Amino acid sequence: GIQVEQSPPDLILQEGANSTLRCNFSDSVNNLQWFHQNPWGQLINLFYIPSGTKQNGRLSATTVATERYSLLYISSSQTTDSGVYFCAVERKGSNYQLIWGAGTKLIIKP
Amino acid sequence: NAGVTQTPKFQVLKTGQSMTLQCAQDMNHEYMSWYRQDPGMGLRLIHYSVGAGITDQGEVPNGYNVSRSTTEDFPLRLLSAAPSQTSVYFCATHRGLDYGYTFGSGTRLTVV
């Protein structure tokens, strides 16, 4: 099956720093999403981005489908950005099955 | 607009007991699914449904049953709980291809 690898596994930053999270996937996809799981366990959909670039405030994401990777950028980090960031993909022809990476645990220190 | 509602939020079961986790959505989405999340891992698909009356197995279906009698509801049944089913369970909906998923707030289940 399709493999989804996220890096780095852990990231500790000071408030105000910028960060880049990476997601590599091993097959063609028709759906790629980035999620933030906050310390209370809630999953927040950040981006639906099977290709191209999107921006939402301090967050932006880029997916290069031909090279099978996606990047999530967080600028001017705030303590509320802490949590785990997941990349999840739906392989073409897989019929609605999201395959998840193991996540990047981000800690923003004040 | 509640989105996706899961109940209960927490549950403790004894080995061998059965129970049903409830999931309801008010987004009129055809596609619903159940995932489990074990500590330090991403989510894994248990079962999914592409519409009322249609369900299929995901990656880890053993020990779980589902049914989809209405568009709004997609309950997950544990037939005979085992400690290996201790996990956080998430229900999700989406409109279909080319759309993002929306997740409920999760049910934390402990089997002792």
Side-chain angles (χ1 to χ4, degrees):
Chain A
I2 191 170
Q3 304 298 316
V4 181
E5 295 180 353
Q6 291 186 243
S7 60
D10 300 279
L11 190 57
I12 301 174
L13 299 172
Q14 290 295 133
E15 198 168 24
N18 301 329
S19 59
T20 300
L21 283 57
R22 187 176 180 102
C23 172
N24 292 334
F25 45 96
S26 60
D27 203 348
S28 299
V29 299
N30 57 26
N31 185 339
L32 186 147
Q33 293 186 252
W34 284 97
F35 293 90
H36 175 218
Q37 188 167 40
N38 64 25
W40 296 270
Q42 187 177 10
L43 282 164
I44 308 298
N45 189 333
L46 298 176
F47 294 104
Y48 166 76
I49 187 166
S51 63
T53 297
K54 290 186 178 179
Q55 181 159 6
N56 185 1
R58 296 182 295 103
L59 274 62
S60 63
T62 295
T63 298
V64 184
T66 54
E67 298 187 20
R68 299 181 182 168
Y69 73 89
S70 183
L71 302 173
L72 178 68
Y73 305 96
I74 305 173
S75 64
S76 304
S77 299
Q78 300 175 358
T79 55
T80 52
D81 294 331
S82 296
V84 183
Y85 290 80
F86 288 103
C87 169
V89 305
E90 186 179 275
R91 184 177 57 82
K92 285 188 176 179
S94 70
N95 293 332
Y96 323 113
Q97 299 191 41
L98 277 182
I99 305 299
W100 295 65
T104 292
K105 184 175 183 179
L106 177 64
I107 297 174
I108 304 297
K109 294 187 172 182
Chain B
N1 186 350
V4 182
T5 302
Q6 291 185 235
T7 56
K9 294 191 183 303
F10 302 94
Q11 183 71 49
V12 179
L13 288 179
K14 293 183 179 180
T15 297
Q17 287 185 317
S18 62
M19 78 159 295
T20 299
L21 280 62
Q22 302 291 344
C23 176
Q25 55 113 349
D26 62 2
M27 306 169 77
N28 201 32
H29 288 174
E30 289 296 322
Y31 306 100
M32 298 185 74
S33 47
W34 276 101
Y35 290 82
R36 62 177 285 174
Q37 184 180 28
D38 298 316
M41 297 177 63
L43 280 65
R44 291 183 294 168
L45 180 65
I46 304 171
H47 286 285
Y48 66 98
S49 170
V50 300
I54 306 170
T55 64
D56 206 345
Q57 296 180 353
E59 182 183 358
V60 288
N62 292 339
Y64 307 95
N65 273 356
V66 293
S67 59
R68 183 95 179 273
S69 56
T70 67
T71 299
E72 294 78 18
D73 299 300
F74 190 41
L76 177 71
R77 298 181 185 85
L78 279 70
L79 308 175
S80 178
S84 61
Q85 294 179 302
T86 294
S87 189
V88 180
Y89 291 84
F90 288 96
C91 178
T93 76
H94 72 293
R95 197 181 303 175
L97 290 176
D98 301 329
Y99 291 94
Y101 286 60
T102 300
F103 281 81
S105 58
T107 294
R108 186 174 295 274
L109 175 68
T110 301
V111 183
V112 298

